[in-house]
Amino acid sequence: MEHKRPLRILITNDDGMQAKGLAVLEELARKFTDDIWVIAPAEQQSGKGHSITWGAPIRMREVAEKRYVVRGTPTDCMILALRKILKDNPPDYVLSGVNNGENIGNSITMSGTIGAVMQSTLQGFKSVALSQVSMEAMSADWSVAENYGERVLKKIFSQDWAPNTLYNVNFPHVKAHGVKGIRVLRHGRRTLMGDMVETIDPHGFPYYWVGVLHTEQNPPEDTDLWGAKNGYITITPIQMDLTNYKALEELKNQLNMDFDEE
């Protein structure tokens, strides 16, 4: 009789190998298995989205058993992890995070946390992004992720996984005892944008700081923006097929043509 191997989990992030959130995620993963592989960026990679290093070498170094640091983006980490390090020993799940800051609403289009699991999803792996909503200029409170992360992951792992889909989890910025529950919600769309500050450098040239996206005041109740604001852990399935099928059918009728018919 063939012996079934233990569950294998691959974890990464966009905040870098030394980030507190990565340590939190590793502890959560250990609730399910001891076969954990960590492949994470050497430095902060927030806002890199699904970008890859193009036209330059990517350097990777093993720093401990099953632990690798990559001079590149979160997507680079996934490519190296799944095409090289774990090519012959693939993981059962890929987890990204726990991000220091929210990944809700429009933020998902820029998120390196999401970008990493977009890549692993595209390569056919069951993947989850996890983020801890936090307030600007304040240290993240990891108690919600620490206290509820295992329960959330257990529920997600038990589902029949929709093909070509990743799950995006956000823990609200409240104390652990203040969490109201879990809500599966769609991604909202912000109307408030972050500030942009223009400043002059010592040489007299302008440079810019682009601010974060601020929380909406009255977001719709079926959105992750509302859930995060009102003390709920939010889960949103993200489908990797970005085609607008309604527009596709309309455009077929309007734009399809054969040039020899003109």
Side-chain angles (χ1 to χ4, degrees):
M1 181 177 177
E2 184 180 351
H3 177 68
K4 185 178 180 181
R5 68 164 176 79
L7 196 69
R8 179 170 294 131
I9 294 178
L10 167 63
I11 70 174
T12 191
N13 72 350
D14 72 354
D15 290 327
M17 181 63 83
Q18 304 305 318
K20 169 64 176 177
L22 188 69
V24 171
L25 184 57
E26 192 168 356
E27 286 303 307
L28 291 176
R30 292 202 182 281
K31 306 289 186 181
F32 300 91
T33 182
D34 288 324
D35 190 2
I36 298 169
W37 296 73
V38 182
I39 296 91
E43 300 170 342
Q44 173 66 251
Q45 296 288 312
S46 292
K48 293 298 178 70
H50 192 207
S51 66
I52 63 171
T53 299
W54 190 262
I58 304 170
R59 302 192 184 276
M60 176 175 64
R61 181 167 57 94
E62 185 175 7
V63 294
E65 184 181 4
K66 300 181 180 179
R67 198 173 191 89
Y68 297 79
V69 64
V70 176
R71 292 283 177 184
T73 69
T75 301
D76 293 333
C77 293
M78 286 297 95
I79 292 172
L80 291 174
L82 298 171
R83 295 187 184 178
K84 181 172 178 59
I85 300 170
L86 294 174
K87 179 180 179 181
D88 299 320
N89 301 286
D92 298 287
Y93 297 101
V94 178
L95 306 179
S96 181
V98 175
N99 188 64
N100 184 357
E102 63 191 45
N103 277 306
I104 55 178
N106 308 23
S107 301
I108 66 166
T109 62
M110 298 172 281
S111 167
T113 305
I114 302 289
V117 286
M118 288 176 68
Q119 183 63 35
S120 55
T121 300
L122 287 169
Q123 291 185 225
F125 294 92
K126 298 176 179 178
S127 306
V128 184
L130 303 99
S131 302
Q132 175 62 61
V133 179
S134 59
M135 300 297 290
E136 295 176 50
M138 293 178 62
S139 299
D141 182 348
W142 302 101
S143 63
V144 176
E146 290 170 333
N147 283 276
Y148 290 94
E150 180 185 4
R151 185 185 304 185
V152 171
L153 287 173
K154 188 176 294 185
K155 284 183 171 293
I156 290 175
F157 290 169
S158 68
Q159 303 303 307
D160 291 331
W161 212 280
N164 209 30
T165 299
L166 67 90
Y167 292 95
N168 183 28
V169 177
N170 279 270
F171 300 102
H173 181 68
V174 296
K175 295 297 183 182
H177 61 79
V179 177
K180 295 179 181 177
I182 300 172
R183 291 289 184 271
V184 178
L185 298 167
R186 69 177 176 90
H187 283 305
R189 184 169 183 175
R190 300 175 190 270
T191 58
L192 298 176
M193 300 297 291
D195 296 329
M196 185 179 74
V197 178
E198 181 176 352
T199 309
I200 304 299
D201 71 16
H203 302 285
F205 295 102
Y207 66 94
Y208 306 89
W209 282 103
V210 179
V212 299
L213 295 168
H214 298 291
T215 301
E216 295 291 290
Q217 297 302 311
N218 296 293
E221 292 189 13
D222 63 340
T223 66
D224 56 355
L225 297 169
W226 178 89
K229 182 179 175 64
N230 287 277
Y232 288 97
I233 299 167
T234 66
I235 302 175
T236 304
I238 299 175
Q239 182 173 276
M240 292 306 300
D241 183 351
L242 302 181
T243 306
N244 182 329
Y245 283 97
K246 182 176 183 296
L248 180 71
E249 294 307 314
E250 293 175 352
L251 288 172
K252 280 181 181 180
N253 295 329
Q254 298 175 31
L255 301 181
N256 278 5
M257 68 170 60
D258 293 316
F259 291 132
D260 58 4
E261 296 178 354
E262 293 184 307

